[in-house]
Amino acid sequence: MWDQNDPVKHSLKELGSELSQRRATEDMAKERVRRPLRRDTKMAVGMAIILGLAMVVAAVNLFTHTFPAGTTGAHITTACSDLTMGTPSQPVGPGTVRFNCGAAVPAFAADGNGPVTPTFSLGGTLYTGITIVATASIGTSCSGGTALTSGTALTPPGGSYDYCASYIGAGALPGFTLTWSQ
């Protein structure tokens, strides 16, 4: 506790009261006096900001990866959408006819890595079945191969393939579509 009769303390208290009253009457804000930053301080703050930004940029750009082009898992690919029809093996069936992309360009290529499913319809035509065979020139006769069943998946070994359709009877061999999916 302090002594209430101490003249110095009493004077300080009166001076504080008088100062508060003056500030209130003169609308003086009790704000802290701001001193301008020294030039050295400004330089140090500027350098710290620049160094911080440089570190962020350096951390963001350490290296770059380039991704190669590729497919989304397509297990078969083709170079054409409209096939070329070879010469039927017999004027009156039973016979076979080869289809590819022309000359010796395969109808499609398989990577051998997964099942693919053909969807087609031969109903109401002279065609009786369709197989896939190793690619050859368009005039090569068909033999062997893997028979396709619409809606049934298969995994052709990696390689290039043509289609061979078997037919029976005589007359116009109509066109049809075959769609692959996986």
Side-chain angles (χ1 to χ4, degrees):
M1 293 258 193
W2 57 280
D3 185 13
Q4 293 180 355
N5 294 329
D6 186 359
V8 174
K9 290 184 181 178
H10 183 60
S11 296
L12 285 174
K13 184 176 180 183
E14 283 180 8
L15 282 173
S17 297
E18 187 178 325
L19 181 60
S20 294
Q21 187 178 18
R22 261 194 193 174
R23 280 189 176 172
T25 57
E26 295 175 8
D27 287 322
M28 294 176 74
K30 292 184 179 180
E31 293 182 18
R32 192 175 109 195
V33 177
R34 293 189 182 177
R35 289 180 282 163
L37 293 176
R38 292 186 346 198
R39 180 182 169 152
D40 293 345
T41 306
K42 288 180 185 177
M43 292 291 287
V45 169
M47 293 295 285
I49 290 171
I50 290 171
L51 180 61
L53 287 173
M55 288 174 51
V56 168
V57 169
V60 172
N61 293 324
L62 292 177
F63 55 85
T64 301
H65 280 132
T66 302
F67 290 82
T71 61
T72 58
H75 298 301
I76 60 173
T77 56
T78 186
C80 69
S81 58
D82 295 326
L83 297 169
T84 301
M85 180 181 194
T87 305
S89 63
Q90 301 294 327
V92 176
T96 58
V97 62
R98 181 180 290 268
F99 295 88
N100 64 19
C101 289
V105 180
F108 69 93
D111 67 6
N113 290 324
V116 289
T117 303
T119 305
F120 57 93
S121 174
L122 302 175
T125 69
L126 298 175
Y127 291 116
T128 58
I130 188 164
T131 60
I132 56 172
V133 294
T135 194
S137 71
I138 194 71
T140 305
S141 64
C142 297
S143 62
T146 302
L148 300 180
T149 302
S150 183
T152 301
L154 72 149
T155 302
S160 298
Y161 294 91
D162 293 341
Y163 297 103
C164 280
S166 55
Y167 61 92
I168 192 159
L173 293 170
F176 63 95
T177 60
L178 184 145
T179 303
W180 288 99
S181 60
Q182 63 184 39

